[in-house]
Amino acid sequence: MTRLTRAEQQRRTHDHLLASGRQVFLRRGFLAATIEEIAADAGYTRGAVYKHFGGKEGLWLAIIEADADGHLRGLREALAQATSRDELIAALNPVDVADKNAAKWSAAAAEVLAATAQQPETAALVAAIQRRHDDEVVALLAEHTRRLRLEPALPLDQAVVMLGALGIGLALRQTVAPAADPAAILTHALDTLFPPYTREP
């Protein structure tokens, strides 16, 4: 068996803690989750969480940054393959907002927003990750709506914020007052944002 280098061991610990943090936040929510539980789930001591992430907030930031990067990779691939308006809309609506994990994650995210409202430094870090993600989505949509000759009904920066807020809101609502068909609501919003008429070639 090949012995891991120190850097490889550190990366493995980092990845295990990320995976454990994600599961504990889903299971317990952000506020109820503890460093001890996250570390124990990953098979480490609480010191490992502090060493790699500085604490619970740092771990959350690392998870949402990894999720944002993963979302962008998937979206970039899906949009590159889109050859029509319908395929572009499908690429923007791949997540099942009725999924229980999506609802739990949205609830945990709402807890983080409430908890960091009085912590300007942490709130600024969350906002920076969101802005970077939104800016990249806007750039991708600009490229592919231009390629498909689509005319969005809203400026793309506003459309991206609206879609993000709607998706989070629908997923969060599923935890307390489920809508009959949240996916249809999101699809209707996308249909409205990207009407079927096209630009002149």
Side-chain angles (χ1 to χ4, degrees):
M1 182 175 176
T2 305
R3 186 183 179 90
L4 295 177
T5 66
R6 181 172 177 78
E8 289 169 336
Q9 290 175 339
Q10 292 292 324
R11 170 48 59 184
R12 185 169 69 171
T13 300
H14 184 94
D15 291 345
H16 285 175
L17 289 169
L18 277 178
S20 175
R22 187 188 311 278
Q23 290 307 309
V24 174
F25 288 140
L26 277 173
R27 185 169 68 240
R28 306 269 289 158
F30 179 78
L31 295 177
T34 65
I35 294 293
E36 289 77 11
E37 184 177 3
I38 292 165
D41 269 27
Y44 299 101
T45 64
R46 67 198 300 263
V49 180
Y50 286 107
K51 178 180 178 182
H52 282 264
F53 303 104
K56 190 164 71 168
E57 290 81 4
L59 176 57
W60 174 269
L61 289 168
I63 291 170
I64 63 169
E65 189 157 27
D67 284 356
D69 289 343
H71 175 255
L72 285 169
R73 281 194 302 274
L75 185 61
R76 191 173 290 113
E77 291 172 8
L79 288 174
Q81 294 172 18
T83 60
S84 67
R85 168 185 174 269
D86 288 346
E87 289 179 2
L88 179 136
I89 287 174
L92 292 172
N93 191 14
V95 177
D96 181 1
V97 292
D99 178 72
K100 288 184 179 178
N101 280 346
K104 287 180 182 178
W105 194 255
S106 292
E111 289 181 358
V112 173
L113 291 176
T116 60
Q118 302 304 317
Q119 300 174 27
E121 289 183 10
T122 304
L125 292 172
V126 172
I129 293 169
Q130 186 67 59
R131 276 195 304 272
R132 180 178 65 80
H133 175 267
D134 287 355
D135 288 347
E136 295 201 36
V137 173
V138 168
L140 281 172
L141 284 176
E143 175 187 350
H144 293 289
T145 53
R146 193 163 47 243
R147 175 175 63 84
L148 296 170
R149 299 201 302 274
L150 297 173
E151 187 69 59
L154 278 178
L156 286 174
D157 58 337
Q158 296 178 24
V160 167
V161 170
M162 189 195 83
L163 288 172
L166 179 59
I168 291 169
L170 284 170
L172 187 56
R173 182 187 169 104
Q174 294 306 108
T175 66
V176 290
D181 192 350
I185 295 170
L186 195 50
T187 298
H188 181 71
L190 286 163
D191 279 337
T192 303
L193 276 173
F194 299 100
Y197 62 83
T198 61
R199 296 173 177 166
E200 292 298 323

